[in-house]
Amino acid sequence: MTKQKVPEEIWRQVDAVIAKSNKFTITSHVNPDGDAVGSELALYNYLLWRNKEVKIINNNPLPVVFNFLVDSLEVFGVFDDDRKTFQDWINKSDVIFILDISNPDRLSRMNDCVTGSAAYKICIDHHEGNDLFADLNIINVSACATAELLYEALTVLDYDIDIRTATALYVAILTDTASFTHPNTSESAHHIASKLLGLGVKPGEIHKKVYETNTWKRTDLLQRALSGLKSECNGKLTWMKITGKMIAATGAMLEELEGFVDFSLTIIGVEFSILFLEVPGKGTKISLRSKEFLNVHEFAKQFGGGGHKHAAGIRLYDVEIDNAIKQVIEKARGIFEE
Ligand code: 5GP
Ligand code: MN
């Protein structure tokens, strides 16, 4: 199947905006993942190469496993660390690039500042149901990662991709396809990976840095979470719960939860896997994964969330965890009981 690509003309339009602008902000979603930070870094390197003033500003710090992507953590500005400076930068920016986001709510604490800025806003994304909230929206849901779109852009714009940028793009595609295993692992995911390997990326070394960094704290948490793993609907639906107490008792970091929800999906017969995370005082965060037929983006929409067909999320700020479990599991059971 040939998939639709973003027309080159659109990237030339972006090029024209860049050419006439000087000050840039790059941002992405709350709790950035590998695709968010890899895409940001690729664009950051490109804009620096074009001699632009640019800052990456996110709600949260760079997850520790991705520290190896940069020489200095200062590259990744954290909004709350110096709000005044960052607000000022965002307000004075000519252009704000908003990456890997389908809905401005995903900007979390930065939402008001970013959407309120007079800057020209360009959203580059691959999620289902993008709200088209920016001035220029470059969306391709068939892209395996936002980084696939960035790779296409840099190629069209004749950027000589350096090894640091290649590594950032590779990490983004690697993590958003869950090591080239999720259903979004397309021909182009492998094609781009092959091009990046040609530029010197070392997949074995990167795999070690990104995935072989398990800690005892994380393992302790996984053990506790798995001991409460529930199976319903003849084993088609599984869910687990992680409370604030469990996190505190193990000392694991929130970013270390990556991969937990995918684990139970590997059990034979499981179609739908859900993880409920208690965010003390701030409700519940829910991760959803499906194997084949089930569109979890559509499921998440019922609760104001979204994402992709096989990986989506919901954020219920005012619903405590047991109540969230009750509501969401009731709806999930309905799928298999129909
Ligand atoms: P995760 O479960 O790994 O946090 O997220 C899975 C996918 O769903 C990601 O692509 C993420 O961007 C998206 N996602 C997670 N939470 C939300 C949410 O609250 N709203 C929307 N629209 N998307 C979400
Ligand atoms: Mn992504």
Side-chain angles (χ1 to χ4, degrees):
M1 191 179 76
T2 19
K3 71 177 197 186
Q4 209 90 51
K5 276 179 107 172
V6 173
E8 289 195 6
E9 188 43 42
I10 301 286
W11 297 124
R12 304 217 180 281
Q13 215 176 312
V14 173
D15 180 44
V17 173
I18 293 173
K20 66 173 188 200
S21 309
N22 182 44
K23 204 178 184 85
F24 293 80
T25 298
I26 304 174
T27 190
S28 186
H29 52 82
V30 63
N31 303 320
D33 57 10
D35 189 24
V37 301
S39 299
E40 287 182 322
L41 205 49
L43 183 57
Y44 176 83
N45 291 343
Y46 174 71
L47 291 172
L48 282 186
W49 175 74
R50 289 193 63 170
N51 288 319
K52 303 295 176 180
E53 288 180 35
V54 53
K55 276 193 199 300
I56 298 174
I57 309 172
N58 289 327
N59 278 281
N60 312 85
L62 182 68
V64 176
V65 290
F66 303 126
N67 282 1
F68 75 96
L69 291 175
V70 283
D71 289 331
S72 161
L73 292 181
E74 280 177 21
V75 170
F76 283 88
V78 182
F79 191 57
D80 285 340
D81 284 356
D82 189 355
R83 257 196 196 220
K84 199 174 165 323
T85 307
F86 289 133
Q87 263 169 344
D88 203 44
W89 186 277
I90 291 167
N91 282 328
K92 289 186 179 148
S93 288
D94 303 311
V95 180
I96 305 177
F97 279 101
I98 303 164
L99 308 181
D100 203 38
I101 279 191
S102 58
N103 170 325
D105 287 347
R106 302 275 292 143
L107 289 164
S108 189
R109 297 183 301 286
M110 291 178 63
N111 190 352
D112 287 347
C113 183
V114 169
T115 47
S117 164
Y120 186 73
K121 297 168 197 88
I122 302 179
C123 176
I124 305 177
D125 181 41
H126 69 132
H127 286 94
E128 304 263 351
N130 189 291
D131 281 355
L132 309 180
F133 60 92
D135 298 305
L136 177 60
N137 298 283
I138 306 175
I139 318 297
N140 186 350
V141 295
S142 69
C144 67
T146 294
E148 173 172 342
L149 303 175
L150 264 302
Y151 175 84
E152 280 174 18
L154 299 189
T155 308
V156 171
L157 301 182
D158 287 327
Y159 178 55
D160 199 3
I161 297 178
D162 57 290
I163 183 65
R164 311 219 73 171
T165 305
T167 304
L169 290 168
Y170 182 84
V171 163
I173 291 174
L174 177 77
T175 52
D176 246 31
T177 58
S179 302
F180 303 97
T181 61
H182 276 176
N184 62 342
T185 310
S186 55
E187 193 181 328
S188 55
H190 280 291
H191 173 76
I192 296 169
S194 135
K195 293 283 180 195
L196 298 173
L197 262 58
L199 294 171
V201 164
K202 300 273 180 288
E205 283 175 21
I206 292 181
H207 190 276
K208 270 203 185 68
K209 286 176 177 154
V210 174
Y211 291 113
E212 297 171 37
T213 53
N214 213 351
T215 60
W216 282 110
K217 289 174 180 174
R218 178 182 184 273
T219 308
D220 186 3
L221 185 62
L222 181 60
Q223 197 170 18
R224 288 169 197 240
L226 286 177
S227 74
L229 182 70
K230 299 282 189 294
S231 154
E232 306 207 15
C233 307
N234 293 323
K236 292 192 175 80
L237 169 67
T238 64
W239 58 272
M240 60 167 89
K241 137 179 174 178
I242 295 182
T243 62
K245 265 193 185 151
M246 288 159 75
I247 304 255
T250 57
M253 289 183 291
L254 283 183
E255 64 200 48
E256 291 186 294
L257 288 173
E258 196 76 39
F260 278 31
V261 65
D262 302 280
F263 179 86
S264 40
L265 203 65
T266 62
I267 301 167
I268 293 170
V270 172
E271 292 288 345
F272 191 7
S273 164
I274 310 181
L275 182 141
F276 296 89
L277 170 68
E278 181 180 39
V279 189
K282 291 185 194 153
T284 311
K285 181 181 179 311
I286 301 156
S287 285
L288 313 161
R289 300 289 185 272
S290 67
K291 216 177 258 170
E292 303 282 344
F293 72 92
L294 182 64
N295 184 331
V296 285
H297 164 70
E298 290 299 328
F299 182 87
K301 270 196 338 197
Q302 303 174 92
F303 295 93
H308 306 285
K309 190 172 174 207
H310 297 287
I314 302 168
R315 187 73 178 86
L316 299 175
Y317 285 95
D318 301 316
V319 186
E320 58 84 29
I321 189 161
D322 288 320
N323 192 0
I325 291 174
K326 194 162 166 286
Q327 291 179 31
V328 172
I329 293 300
E330 199 171 285
K331 275 264 191 282
R333 282 186 194 126
I335 296 169
F336 300 102
E337 283 162 6
E338 268 167 11

